[in-house]
Each structure stands twice: as structure tokens, then as C-alpha cells.
Amino acid sequence: MPLPPFDESGNMPVGIHRATLNEAAARFGSDSPQRARVTKVLKAIFRQARSTGSLTRCIVFGSYVTAKSAPRDVDILLVMDDTFEMEAQSAKVRRLFNHHATEHYVGASLFWIRPKAMFMSVDEYLAFFQRTREETLRGIMEVTE
């Protein structure tokens, strides 16, 4: 199912909209040089997170999934399975999962969580990421295989 059109505010409709990495890149990755750059970052993060064997969901939110022509970065939430152990990962993966390092050196705002560390369901948690700073609702995207 293709990603839905933007609403009058330039956001996707409320909900979690699924797209493959290629579909996401086709929709959001070519309107400007900045979009191409942050799409390259998204692809690299998705592939690296998937290489751990523990990625269960990759959620993209914020200005990247809007009509904004030049989002500053890409905002990503990685839901890892409960067996994911940071200590067992390579230095490259550990650096990726460091929010401040990823933001500063890679150009992404990266968050990650394991379900066992949550005090609510994953779906309830994801609802939070559909809120804007102004407390309005907008859609987010789940990147799939």
C-alpha cells in the first residue's frame, strides 16, 4: 500500500504508515540535496540496525516524513527485541546507538528501546511519536524489509 498523501499542513495523516526502505527513499529522498543526504543516513542506520538481528521495528518521525523540503535530520526510533545486548555489539554499532554521537556525527536523532524496558505497550509508546511540539497529531512511518 503506497504512503498516503500529505494533509493540508504538510503532514501524513495520523497513524503508522508502513513502507519498505526503497519506498521511503522514493517518497522522501529526492526533492532536495538535503533530503538525499538524510535519506542516505536513514538507509545506513536501518541496514546497520537490521544487521544486529534484533531489530523489530524502525519508526521514522519528525520533519523527514513531512512535505518540508529540507529537514535538518532524520528522526528514528528503533525497537529492538528483548535479547538485544549493547555490550555484545561491535564498536560501530554501539556508537550508532549513542544518541548524542549519532546526532553529532551522523546527522540523525536516534532513539532506541527494548519492550521489556517499557512501562507501556509498544503501540502506546509509538503514539507519543505522532505528536508534534505543538501537541497536534501527525502520521509516522514504519520502515520494513
Side-chain angles (χ1 to χ4, degrees):
M1 179 178 210
L3 290 166
F6 296 121
D7 65 18
E8 63 281 348
S9 299
N11 297 314
M12 286 197 300
V14 175
I16 300 172
H17 307 283
R18 289 171 178 77
T20 66
L21 188 57
N22 288 337
E23 290 168 336
R27 171 74 182 270
F28 297 108
S30 60
D31 288 349
S32 69
Q34 176 63 7
R35 278 203 167 273
R37 188 187 74 71
V38 295
T39 298
K40 185 176 178 182
V41 169
L42 169 61
K43 287 178 174 182
I45 289 172
F46 179 78
R47 290 179 178 135
Q48 196 167 358
R50 191 178 64 192
S51 76
T52 67
S54 295
L55 179 67
T56 62
R57 297 179 85 172
C58 176
I59 305 296
V60 182
F61 60 99
S63 62
Y64 181 81
V65 292
T66 69
K68 186 175 182 179
S69 65
R72 184 179 62 85
D73 64 2
V74 59
D75 300 298
I76 302 170
L77 170 67
L78 301 175
V79 181
M80 308 303 286
D81 69 27
D82 286 331
T83 64
F84 180 72
E85 293 185 29
M86 183 64 70
E87 306 77 35
Q89 305 304 313
S90 69
K92 187 176 181 180
V93 170
R94 287 194 312 270
R95 193 169 37 253
L96 171 72
F97 280 74
N98 177 313
H99 177 82
H100 296 292
T102 301
E103 190 169 43
H104 185 72
Y105 296 109
V106 179
S109 187
L110 180 73
F111 304 88
W112 70 276
I113 191 79
R114 287 181 293 228
K116 71 179 177 185
M118 300 173 72
F119 55 90
M120 62 183 72
S121 74
V122 173
D123 288 333
E124 288 173 310
Y125 189 70
L126 294 180
F128 170 79
F129 290 92
Q130 294 182 60
R131 293 199 169 280
T132 66
R133 288 185 179 113
E134 296 77 30
E135 292 298 315
T136 59
L137 296 176
R138 65 179 171 195
I140 59 179
M141 178 177 63
E142 179 171 358
V143 178
T144 61
E145 295 289 331

